[in-house]
Amino acid sequence: MNYISTRGGAPASSEEAIYRGLSKTGGLFIPEKLPEALPLEAMFEKTPAETMALFFHRFMPNFSLEVWESIVDEALLTLTAESDAFDWPVHPLNAYLERYYLFNGDRLPTGSLSDISSAIFLTLLRKLDEKRNNPLEPLIVAVITDDMAVSSLRMMSSYKKIFFVSQNGGRSSEISWLLKSHEKAFSFEDSFDTRYREFSGLAADESFEKALNAQGYDPIFWGPGHILEVLTAGALVTASLALILAEKTPEDSMTYVVNKNHLSFFAGLVYANSLELPIDAVYVGENEPAILRTLFETGKMMQAKRRRRSDDPGVMWPVNLERLLFEVTGRDESRLLDIMGKWDQAEVPLLNEDEIHLLNQSVTVASNDYRRCLRIIRNIYDQTDYLIGRETADAIACWARHSDKKDTSIVCYVQERSPLLDIETTTKAILGDEASRRAEADAVCMLAEESGVPIWETLRASLEKKEPLTMIPVADSLQDTIFEAVRKHDHERGVDA
């Protein structure tokens, strides 16, 4: 199967799409055509790992099903202790709420579902390296979320990496603690949207790639728009469907509830749905201001009138929204580029009526205020003993407000990251205002003890540091920073030699 770019250009093989990450026009890779349907009943007798392999094989059949099974098994093995089996992250909320499930990343090695996509990516990357006849050394460059950065650094220790992460992400100390000598991480003050636009421009800049090639490196553009991040989400959705619906009636279907900041998971849902799997509806929640909701309702972007929160990386235009709009516009790259060229112009019409209609057929979007978020966190905890974070609470608020009360579909709330990563909000909701004002290390320990949510190794190590570790601020363009980091690394390697 070949892959096309949301911004035009020649089709690429699935191997090239994986290895490069972003197309040579700076766009996201999309399957050129949708694969055949995947009968749900055929998966009921399979393990979740086998089901994931079936999904991957549908979208990337150049690897045999047996190879995909070995890739998934090997990847999941890296996420467990030596003597343990992989704990599948989907659980009923409790014995009395039979229709409700939580897809929960808080017991993974770095507290987020990014651990799974990073493990799959690294395992597959190694297999591609074995097949490639290329003297150039892989160099992973990324404008990346802090969750992806932490999980990638934990997994990809053998590859050279240059990461750029928002200084507002909240995991700088973990990232710095994980860095090895051949890895660099930089923080930026600008919005994530601004730096990602610059990043996609580098992927489209032939001179940038040639300059790295001349120094012996082959760039891999890794980040939330990478096709393997999205397909991993689709594989997880497919495995969860088979796992849950195997015990239900044939008429049952699933509804998924996700946050705006995790549209890679939503994109994975779209690909799972394309295999004619029984996905009933998708609800996407966001906190205020209602930027995404405004786009879905009016076809316009709303300019945020208030300053970003200290923990807000500044995502107005989620990366994988480009993937969704590409389909809504009928895969018209010129129309998509026209829309994206105006995304930062408030109150300018971006979408026509037909596009707005198509957009709202696939998903329901709503925003949520902070006080309601606190109430939802408390209510879910009191009813189920599960602790959820602010992003999950915003998504649940969307579902609660807009779902049909007579709907009998099975509901799965998606919590991509541990609530300990939203410590101020979750502590305030469960333990009160006074506890939320404690030092971060004290608040994390108190909440973990109260809720049973585990503290993973890198979080514990970062909390135990007397002085927080920080990343290097970006002083120049991404391109200049990358070239300087490569020059310094090569110089140090030459001195060591």
Side-chain angles (χ1 to χ4, degrees):
M1 179 184 291
N2 284 335
Y3 282 75
I4 58 174
S5 168
T6 53
R7 303 185 190 182
S13 67
S14 55
E15 289 97 333
E16 182 182 353
I18 293 166
Y19 204 89
R20 201 171 193 283
L22 290 177
S23 76
K24 292 186 177 182
T25 56
L28 306 181
F29 283 113
I30 305 283
E32 190 171 35
K33 60 181 181 179
L34 295 175
E36 294 180 4
L38 189 59
L40 184 65
E41 297 78 10
M43 297 180 280
F44 285 162
E45 300 301 320
K46 295 186 178 296
T47 67
E50 290 170 338
T51 301
M52 288 182 69
L54 274 173
F55 179 92
F56 281 122
H57 184 249
R58 274 290 197 275
F59 283 90
M60 294 187 170
N62 51 306
F63 288 107
S64 70
L65 180 57
E66 291 75 18
V67 169
W68 272 116
E69 288 175 347
S70 70
I71 289 170
V72 174
D73 285 342
E74 184 180 335
L76 296 183
L77 192 63
T78 66
L79 304 177
T80 64
E82 291 183 6
S83 59
D84 295 335
F86 180 69
D87 181 17
W88 195 250
V90 182
H91 306 280
L93 279 177
N94 66 28
Y96 304 102
L97 299 171
E98 295 180 353
R99 288 179 50 231
Y100 300 95
Y101 289 79
L102 183 66
F103 210 125
N104 194 3
D106 66 12
R107 295 186 182 276
L108 290 166
T110 69
S112 85
L113 293 180
S114 291
D115 285 327
I116 301 177
S117 56
S118 293
I120 297 284
F121 178 54
L122 175 63
T123 306
L124 188 51
L125 198 58
R126 286 172 175 161
K127 291 194 178 295
L128 289 176
D129 275 342
E130 293 170 1
K131 293 176 61 177
R132 293 173 81 247
N133 184 23
N134 190 340
L136 298 177
E137 183 177 358
L139 174 66
I140 300 174
V141 293
V143 170
I144 199 169
T145 66
D146 53 344
D147 291 348
M148 289 184 74
V150 173
S151 64
S152 299
L153 288 169
R154 174 189 173 272
M155 289 295 308
M156 303 176 194
S157 59
S158 61
Y159 287 93
K160 289 184 175 61
K161 294 173 281 296
I162 301 174
F163 285 175
F164 297 90
V165 184
S166 170
Q167 69 177 22
N168 292 350
R171 304 187 74 174
S172 295
S173 193
E174 281 185 85
I175 292 168
S176 300
W177 187 81
L178 282 164
L179 286 172
K180 308 294 188 299
S181 60
H182 58 283
E183 301 166 333
K184 300 294 181 185
F186 299 88
S187 63
F188 54 84
E189 186 177 358
D190 324 61
S191 74
F192 189 93
D193 294 330
T194 299
R195 285 300 186 178
Y196 193 87
R197 175 173 281 196
E198 183 184 356
F199 179 62
S200 63
L202 286 182
D205 185 350
E206 187 178 356
S207 65
F208 171 74
E209 186 167 355
K210 284 184 175 179
L212 283 179
N213 292 164
Q215 296 179 71
Y217 293 103
D218 195 10
I220 300 171
F221 298 92
W222 174 237
H226 196 288
I227 185 61
L228 207 60
E229 171 84 356
V230 173
L231 290 182
T232 300
L236 290 171
V237 167
T238 303
S240 69
L241 275 166
L243 190 68
I244 294 169
L245 295 184
E247 301 176 354
K248 308 297 180 182
T249 67
E251 295 77 25
D252 279 322
S253 59
M254 293 281 293
T255 289
Y256 284 87
V257 180
V258 301
N259 184 267
K260 177 198 82 170
N261 292 336
H262 305 298
L263 283 197
S264 59
F265 200 96
F266 171 66
L269 279 162
V270 172
Y271 289 144
N273 192 48
S274 74
L275 299 181
E276 299 181 17
L277 296 173
I279 298 172
D280 183 57
V282 180
Y283 295 86
V284 175
E286 64 178 339
N287 55 51
E288 293 183 330
I291 295 168
L292 198 62
R293 189 199 75 198
T294 303
L295 176 67
F296 276 58
E297 289 180 354
T298 69
K300 302 175 183 179
M301 290 293 288
M302 182 187 76
Q303 193 67 39
K305 296 181 180 180
R306 49 178 93 169
R307 294 179 64 186
R308 283 158 46 199
R309 302 193 321 266
S310 60
D311 61 345
D312 180 3
V315 180
M316 289 178 60
W317 187 274
V319 172
N320 283 289
L321 182 59
E322 179 176 335
R323 194 180 299 276
L324 180 60
L325 293 179
F326 183 66
E327 303 293 352
V328 166
T329 57
R331 297 194 162 195
D332 183 343
E333 60 262 19
S334 60
R335 171 67 182 132
L336 176 64
L337 289 172
D338 178 60
I339 293 170
M340 294 180 63
K342 302 173 184 175
W343 73 269
D344 55 353
Q345 300 177 30
E347 300 303 324
V348 173
L350 301 181
L351 307 178
N352 59 42
E353 290 186 6
D354 289 340
E355 290 163 349
I356 294 171
H357 175 70
L358 286 172
L359 200 58
N360 284 279
Q361 280 189 325
S362 60
V363 61
T364 300
V365 178
S367 59
N368 188 37
D369 64 70
Y370 188 63
R371 289 185 178 180
R372 190 162 191 239
C373 164
L374 294 176
R375 290 198 302 271
I376 290 173
I377 293 172
R378 282 195 297 266
N379 289 342
I380 294 289
Y381 187 68
D382 288 343
Q383 294 173 25
T384 69
D385 287 334
Y386 273 107
L387 180 62
I388 62 171
R390 177 170 185 173
E391 291 179 348
T392 310
D394 290 334
I396 292 173
C398 169
W399 166 80
R401 185 176 301 155
H402 293 281
S403 62
D404 184 348
K405 304 308 176 186
K406 298 180 181 179
D407 182 18
T408 58
S409 65
I410 313 300
V411 180
C412 186
Y413 306 136
V414 179
Q415 175 152 272
E416 284 229 359
R417 64 201 312 251
S418 169
L420 299 184
L421 294 170
D422 189 17
I423 193 61
E424 183 177 347
T425 298
T426 49
T427 303
K428 184 172 185 177
I430 303 303
L431 301 177
D433 288 339
E434 184 177 347
S436 69
R437 290 191 288 268
R438 285 178 173 266
E440 181 186 8
D442 292 340
V444 167
C445 292
M446 286 176 60
L447 193 61
E449 183 177 358
E450 159 66 29
S451 64
V453 175
I455 302 175
W456 53 95
E457 180 186 5
T458 54
L459 178 59
R460 188 180 300 281
S462 67
L463 294 175
E464 289 174 352
K465 290 286 183 182
K466 293 182 179 179
E467 295 293 332
L469 298 170
T470 57
M471 293 180 288
I472 307 167
V474 175
D476 301 303
S477 66
L478 298 185
Q479 175 172 290
D480 290 344
T481 305
I482 290 168
F483 286 152
E484 179 63 14
V486 167
R487 185 193 67 78
K488 285 184 176 180
H489 172 77
D490 288 348
H491 175 72
E492 290 167 359
R493 185 169 56 177
V495 169
D496 291 339

